[in-house]
């Protein structure tokens, strides 16, 4: 594999329908996931679970990158192999979440992502540990008087500052402006908010001289709010998401890998497939799912070693289904 430039790395991650496994849950978030299956979130349990995921057969050929949390990029399996080496041996590239979470903006419900301070030094270490790409997540809310233009500009500017520092350290920045599904808003409100974020994001990236060809975008899909009384169907989500991206994302961007954001695993696959069946765009349209890839595996595992191969089968299946969806070749009949 040719990984001699940022653009080659970005293209490799999304080549041939491949997508990304987001396994970068912070320890508190991992704790919540483990609570749902009654497993203690200890360092060893987190390592065992992630090792099991990364060794799954279905990583090969379907997953081009895996996003890790700081703890995981340093972990070593009981047989002495680093988790980073396991990922590499599956033909996937290790990535690392580098933001430091959210702080509220003033008294408001809106937030600004932290982590620029000391980022350059941290990146140097992650590069040495084998990271080829990085992730930074900004969170935008929809609600009364939200999103504010201040929250959008501050977050999109920070994303661009982050991306510039990452490229200087020879890694591909994944920029994630997540408009949350939380709320009872319409799909049109989500379209508006997503469009404003993407416009501001790309204008900041270009202004700061970020190489777009060496960048990956991780956006939300354009959907109705999770508590909306009228929910847009698969076709409408696909149409409006593609329309919003075509209006705001430069053609030179190599890949767009969606977050799942609380969608069910089947919805996340069906939406991606419907978009790729519409087609007409230059970028690869693929996935960077956390919950939508891991949920069935987590439920099959239940913290028991004897369930490991069932859990791996569940992850492998979802990875393959999403790879097919990235090529517009998925069908619901493949799920049974
Ligand atoms: P979900 O797919 O579960 O939304 O997670 C993706 C992610 O990395 C969020 O930052």
């Amino acid at each position: 594999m040719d990984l001699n430039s940022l653009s080659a790395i970005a293209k490799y991650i999304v080549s041939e329908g491949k997508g990304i496994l987001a396994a970068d849950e912070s320890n508190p978030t991992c704790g919540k996931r483990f609570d749902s299956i009654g497993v203690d979130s200890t360092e060893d349990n987190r390592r065992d679970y992630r090792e099991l995921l990364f060794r799954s057969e279905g990583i090969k050929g379907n997953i081009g990158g895996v996003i890790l949390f700081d703890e995981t990029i340093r972990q070593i399996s009981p047989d002495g192999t680093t988790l980073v080496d396991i990922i590499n041996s599956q033909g996937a590239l290790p990535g690392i979440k580098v933001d430091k979470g959210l702080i509220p903006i003033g008294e408001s419900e809106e937030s600004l992502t932290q982590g620029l301070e000391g980022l350059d030094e941290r990146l140097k270490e992650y590069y040495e540990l084998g990271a080829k790409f990085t992730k930074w997540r900004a969170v935008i809310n929809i609600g009364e008087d939200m999103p504010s233009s201040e929250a959008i500009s501050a977050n999109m500017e920070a994303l661009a500052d982050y991306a510039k520092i990452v490229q200087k350290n020879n890694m591909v920045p994944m920029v994630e402006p997540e408009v949350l599904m939380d709320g009872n808003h319409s799909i049109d409100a989500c379209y508006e908010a997503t469009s404003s974020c993407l416009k501001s994001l790309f204008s900041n990236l270009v202004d700061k001289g970020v190489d777009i060809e060496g960048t990956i975008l991780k956006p939300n899909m354009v959907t109705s709010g999770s508590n909306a009384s009228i929910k847009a169907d698969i076709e409408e989500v696909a149409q409006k998401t593609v329309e919003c991206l075509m209006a705001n994302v430069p053609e030179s961007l190599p890949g767009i890998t969606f977050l799942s954001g609380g969608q069910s695993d089947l919805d996340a696959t069906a939406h991606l497939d419907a978009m790729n069946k519409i087609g007409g765009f230059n970028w690869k349209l693929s996935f960077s799912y956390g919950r939508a890839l891991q949920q069935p595996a987590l439920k099959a595992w239940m913290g028991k070693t004897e369930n490991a191969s069932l859990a791996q089968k569940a992850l492998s299946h979802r990875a393959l289904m999403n790879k097919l969806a990235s090529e517009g070749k998925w069908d619901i009949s493949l799920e049974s």
Side-chain angles (χ1 to χ4, degrees):
M1 64 177 99
D2 159 31
L3 299 177
N4 288 327
S5 65
L6 295 183
S7 128
I9 293 172
K11 283 192 183 128
Y12 176 79
I13 292 173
V14 291
S15 58
E16 294 156 13
K18 288 200 282 277
I20 294 171
L21 167 63
D24 59 321
E25 298 85 3
S26 63
N27 290 348
T29 304
C30 197
K32 274 193 240 162
R33 307 276 188 265
F34 278 15
D35 278 351
S36 73
I37 54 164
V39 171
D40 286 340
S41 181
T42 62
E43 193 172 333
D44 281 356
N45 284 343
R46 291 191 291 269
R47 180 203 58 201
D48 291 349
Y49 170 63
R50 283 161 170 157
E51 180 183 356
L52 165 172
L53 296 181
F54 305 161
R55 286 194 192 275
S56 301
E57 215 178 302
I59 297 283
K60 214 168 237 144
N62 301 320
I63 299 293
V66 179
I67 319 174
L68 303 171
F69 185 59
D70 180 78
E71 174 184 276
T72 325
I73 199 170
R74 305 165 191 283
Q75 279 179 321
I76 300 175
S77 90
D79 77 2
T81 321
T82 63
L83 268 59
V84 163
D85 281 344
I86 295 172
I87 293 167
N88 281 318
S89 71
Q90 293 275 45
L93 304 181
I96 180 83
K97 170 218 207 57
V98 301
D99 67 70
K100 294 275 200 181
L102 316 175
I103 55 156
I105 300 181
E107 301 290 295
S108 76
E109 282 173 53
E110 300 189 290
S111 60
L112 176 62
T113 304
Q114 298 298 289
L116 288 173
E117 213 183 297
L119 178 60
D120 193 53
E121 293 79 65
R122 288 192 289 125
L123 288 172
K124 290 186 171 32
E125 189 193 4
Y126 289 140
Y127 184 86
E128 289 305 315
L129 288 166
K132 294 282 186 288
F133 71 105
T134 65
K135 175 189 119 169
W136 177 290
R137 172 175 176 254
V139 175
I140 300 295
N141 304 72
I142 299 182
E144 212 183 314
D145 299 325
M146 297 190 295
S148 67
S149 53
E150 293 77 16
I152 293 181
S153 349
N155 274 293
M156 300 310 126
E157 196 181 339
L159 269 168
D161 285 333
Y162 137 84
K164 186 74 192 164
I165 303 173
V166 171
Q167 289 190 336
K168 200 182 96 196
N169 282 282
N170 299 311
M171 290 176 279
V172 169
M174 167 180 262
V175 288
E176 179 179 7
E178 177 173 6
V179 176
L180 293 180
M181 280 177 80
D182 301 358
N184 56 10
H185 52 269
S186 66
I187 186 168
D188 292 334
C190 179
Y191 185 107
E192 273 307 302
T194 306
S195 184
S196 305
C197 288
L198 293 176
K199 218 181 274 330
S200 167
L201 175 61
F202 283 97
S203 136
N204 273 289
L205 290 171
V206 170
D207 283 355
K208 291 183 195 284
V210 173
D211 173 14
I212 301 294
E213 287 182 40
T215 301
I216 292 178
L217 172 68
K218 173 164 178 165
N220 53 283
M221 295 181 195
V222 175
T223 64
S224 315
S226 43
N227 296 322
S229 47
I230 303 168
K231 291 257 169 70
D233 63 11
I234 304 281
E235 273 317 305
E236 189 178 2
V237 168
Q239 290 282 358
K240 292 205 161 140
T241 305
V242 168
E243 193 185 313
C244 187
L245 293 170
M246 300 264 262
N248 294 295
V249 180
E251 281 191 2
S252 55
L253 187 88
I256 299 178
T257 60
F258 293 102
L259 57 96
S260 59
Q263 295 180 34
S264 72
D265 46 348
L266 282 187
D267 278 357
T269 305
H271 286 143
L272 181 61
D273 180 67
M275 285 186 241
N276 280 298
K277 284 193 164 93
I278 296 171
F281 35 78
N282 268 342
W283 355 269
K284 296 275 185 182
L285 219 50
S286 178
F287 58 95
S288 173
Y289 296 157
R291 284 161 286 179
L293 274 171
Q294 292 185 45
Q295 201 55 29
L298 190 70
K299 279 202 196 130
W301 178 54
M302 299 296 285
K304 299 198 168 79
T305 318
E306 63 268 31
N307 292 338
S309 75
L310 269 182
Q312 289 181 322
K313 269 200 187 121
L315 176 74
S316 297
H317 177 68
R318 289 263 50 85
L320 174 62
M321 292 299 103
N322 285 305
K323 176 221 172 85
L324 292 173
S326 297
E327 297 179 314
K329 292 180 182 161
W330 175 82
D331 191 274
I332 188 74
S333 65
L334 297 168
E335 295 288 350
S336 44

